[in-house]
Amino acid sequence: MRRALVLIVILLAVVALVACGKDDALSGAGTTTTATTGGKRSTAKRASLPPRSTHDGCKAVAAPRPAANPSLRRSTKRLSRKRRYTAVVRTNCGTIEIRLAVAKAPKTTASFAGLARRKFFDGLTFHRIAKPGGNDYVIQGGDPLGTGNGGPGYTVVEPPSKRTTYRRYVVAMAKTQTEQPGTSGSQFFIVTAPEAPLDPDYAILGEVVGAKKAVKRIAAVPTDPATEAPIDPVVISSVRIESSKRR
């Protein structure tokens, strides 16, 4: 009798071990496990999502992969002074329309339009949102590296008038402190302050026309105080040049 009881205990133990082995086989590598808490289902692993914007009006998008500096040749095609040209800049914060200052800056605008025709700006970012002391100043984009150090592989030099001022919604080309006045590559900035206290050293590209909502949204995006880089990415999906006859 005692021997029979021992055999029964051994058989029950074997059955339990087999059952445990089957449960372990269900949770293999890469399997998503779920748990129930308070009647709600929660997942242990979630698909990675793009960061969500912290400011209303900007869609959540993934940060683009860093690009390399290209080595392009400047476009030799000039824009006609008899036509009106608008750069339509589409971003995840809305669309910005820039009326190009062809008469004031024929070389600068021709270079920018040439890059846009090559889809150079597509997928780049506004990498800098400057607001010293919390006050609007400029938003800057057009850098293939996304660091403020990139360009198209060439520069154009077209100094603006000595009487040039950089008031709100003026669009100008960025340059380094060591470059001569009017030097530009692909980086541009939009003034968001009532007037930026800048020397007339930055080539004029044009001025924002039409709705200004997208510019205001970008200017309000939270930034890293140390780098002035937006915490959530502001991505340029495309820049296209539209033209029409002057009235």
Side-chain angles (χ1 to χ4, degrees):
M1 185 69 177
R2 187 177 298 176
R3 188 175 180 179
L5 289 173
V6 171
L7 288 173
I8 292 171
V9 170
I10 292 172
L11 287 172
L12 289 174
V14 170
V15 171
L17 286 172
V18 171
C20 287
K22 289 181 178 179
D23 287 343
D24 288 342
L26 291 174
S27 56
T31 302
T32 301
T33 58
T34 59
T36 303
T37 53
K40 295 182 179 180
R41 197 180 185 199
S42 63
T43 58
K45 290 172 64 178
R46 296 178 183 273
S48 58
L49 298 173
R52 294 189 62 83
S53 174
T54 55
H55 185 74
D56 291 343
C58 294
K59 295 180 181 178
V61 295
R65 294 180 179 178
N69 264 336
S71 182
L72 302 178
R73 291 185 178 182
R74 179 170 65 90
S75 173
T76 57
K77 184 178 180 179
R78 295 292 182 95
L79 303 179
S80 173
R81 296 193 180 193
K82 296 181 180 180
R83 298 188 68 82
R84 179 176 291 161
Y85 295 88
T86 303
V88 181
V89 183
R90 292 183 172 85
T91 78
N92 60 306
C93 293
T95 299
I96 302 169
E97 295 185 356
I98 303 171
R99 182 66 45 77
L100 301 184
V102 177
K104 291 183 179 180
K107 291 196 294 184
T108 303
T109 53
S111 171
F112 186 90
L115 291 173
R117 283 194 293 269
R118 297 184 198 186
K119 301 183 179 181
F120 175 89
F121 299 103
D122 296 13
L124 302 188
T125 64
F126 276 90
H127 63 275
R128 180 185 177 219
I129 302 174
K131 35 190 174 186
N135 299 312
D136 287 341
Y137 189 58
V138 301
I139 59 175
Q140 184 172 328
D143 176 12
L145 301 182
T147 62
N149 298 315
Y154 68 83
T155 57
V156 172
V157 179
E158 190 169 51
S161 165
K162 295 296 183 183
R163 297 188 298 274
T164 298
T165 57
Y166 301 91
R167 65 187 183 279
R168 182 174 283 149
Y169 302 125
V170 162
V171 187
M173 303 301 292
K175 73 175 191 69
T176 65
Q177 293 290 336
T178 57
E179 289 175 320
Q180 60 181 305
T183 300
S184 66
S186 60
Q187 294 188 47
F188 62 95
F189 63 87
I190 301 173
V191 179
T192 54
E195 185 172 333
L198 297 169
D199 293 330
D201 291 345
Y202 302 90
I204 293 295
L205 179 64
E207 186 169 0
V208 177
V209 295
K212 312 296 193 302
K213 288 182 179 179
V215 174
K216 294 176 181 178
R217 288 170 182 163
I218 296 171
V221 170
T223 61
D224 180 340
T227 63
E228 298 181 324
I231 293 173
D232 287 336
V234 179
V235 178
I236 299 169
S237 57
S238 67
V239 177
R240 299 292 180 266
I241 306 299
E242 297 181 353
S243 68
S244 60
K245 290 183 179 180
R246 287 186 174 276
R247 294 178 180 177

